[in-house]
Amino acid sequence: MYKRKDYPKENDYVICTVTSISDLDVKVSLDEFENFNGIIPIDELSNKRITNPRIIVKEGEKIVCLVLDVDVNNKLATLSLKRVDKNKQKAKIFEYKRENAAYNVLKIMSEKENISMKELEEKVIFKIVPNDKLYNVFLNAYINGKKVLEEYKIDKKIVDKLYKYILE
C-alpha cells in the first residue's frame, strides 16, 4: 500500500506495527505514513495497571492507535492504545482494507498498462490523498463517471485508462 507523505493529525486513528517494547513504552511505525514513527507510553497501553507491556502487545503486531500529539519535525507521534474502542478499531481496519483495495486497482493498471507505480503515485494518489480517500473517489467515479477523476487534475490519458479499471 502507498505511504502518505503528510503526517497524522491529533485525534486520528492510525494503523501501526509494533517495532520494539520496553518497560516504559512501546515503539511503533505508522503504516500509512512515510518514515513516521510513534511511541505509546506504558500508561496509554491499558486502563489496567500493567507491569509487562508484552502482555498487551507483541513485536510485529499490527494495532490501531489514537494520535494524542504529533512532532512533525522529528516525525514522531504520541499514541494511545487504551483509548481505542472496538468500534473505532473495526472502522479503521475496514477503511484501511478499502484503501488497499483501491490501491490494488492501481497496481493492476500499473502492470497491464506498463506504467510504474511511482508515476501513478505522483499523478494519481498524491493528487487525491491529501484531501480524500482513494476508495471514496474511485467509488464516486464508478457512480458518477470519469469527470470525478478529472476534478483532481489527473492527466486525461491516465483518467481514461484508470476509469476503465475502476469499472472492471
Side-chain angles (χ1 to χ4, degrees):
M1 181 134 139
Y2 65 92
K3 300 273 189 176
R4 293 174 54 168
K5 294 189 185 294
D6 59 343
Y7 53 89
K9 313 281 186 291
E10 267 185 47
N11 297 317
D12 279 357
Y13 290 90
V14 291
I15 304 275
C16 307
T17 302
V18 176
T19 55
S20 69
I21 303 168
S22 74
D23 291 338
L24 301 174
D25 58 32
V26 173
K27 291 181 177 52
V28 298
S29 64
L30 277 64
D31 293 1
E32 302 162 88
F33 297 90
E34 191 172 274
N35 300 319
F36 221 96
N37 294 307
I39 190 163
I40 309 168
I42 195 160
D43 62 330
E44 288 295 335
L45 281 175
S46 174
N47 288 320
K48 299 174 185 167
R49 186 172 182 277
I50 57 169
T51 55
N52 183 0
R54 287 169 183 82
I55 294 169
I56 307 293
V57 294
K58 309 277 184 252
E59 281 190 33
E61 183 179 359
K62 292 209 180 283
I63 56 176
V64 176
C65 292
L66 175 67
V67 177
L68 302 177
D69 188 39
V70 178
D71 179 351
V72 178
N73 295 330
N74 293 316
K75 293 194 167 204
L76 185 68
T78 304
L79 307 168
S80 174
L81 181 62
K82 75 178 183 183
R83 300 185 200 193
V84 179
D85 65 42
K86 289 287 181 203
N87 290 334
K88 295 287 187 187
Q89 181 184 28
K90 285 180 183 176
K92 181 61 187 180
I93 291 168
F94 182 70
E95 174 191 292
Y96 186 76
K97 286 181 178 180
R98 287 181 9 167
E99 279 299 281
N100 208 22
Y103 181 75
N104 286 336
V105 169
L106 288 172
K107 277 176 65 174
I108 291 166
M109 179 181 158
S110 167
E111 291 167 9
K112 291 189 176 180
E113 300 293 334
N114 202 21
I115 304 170
S116 74
M117 278 308 295
K118 186 168 181 66
E119 183 179 347
L120 288 177
E121 284 179 354
E122 291 171 11
K123 293 184 175 180
V124 178
I125 294 173
F126 297 130
K127 289 187 177 186
I128 293 173
V129 168
N131 305 312
D132 214 332
K133 301 280 184 198
L134 275 181
Y135 181 86
N136 294 343
V137 172
F138 288 6
L139 180 61
N140 195 4
Y142 181 82
I143 295 167
N144 297 309
K146 61 182 164 184
K147 67 179 184 283
V148 172
L149 298 170
E150 292 166 352
E151 290 172 10
Y152 289 92
K153 297 180 174 64
I154 299 169
D155 180 79
K156 177 132 177 55
K157 289 178 186 174
I158 290 180
V159 165
D160 292 340
K161 290 177 183 179
L162 178 56
Y163 186 64
K164 181 179 81 174
Y165 287 95
I166 291 171
L167 292 178
E168 285 182 1

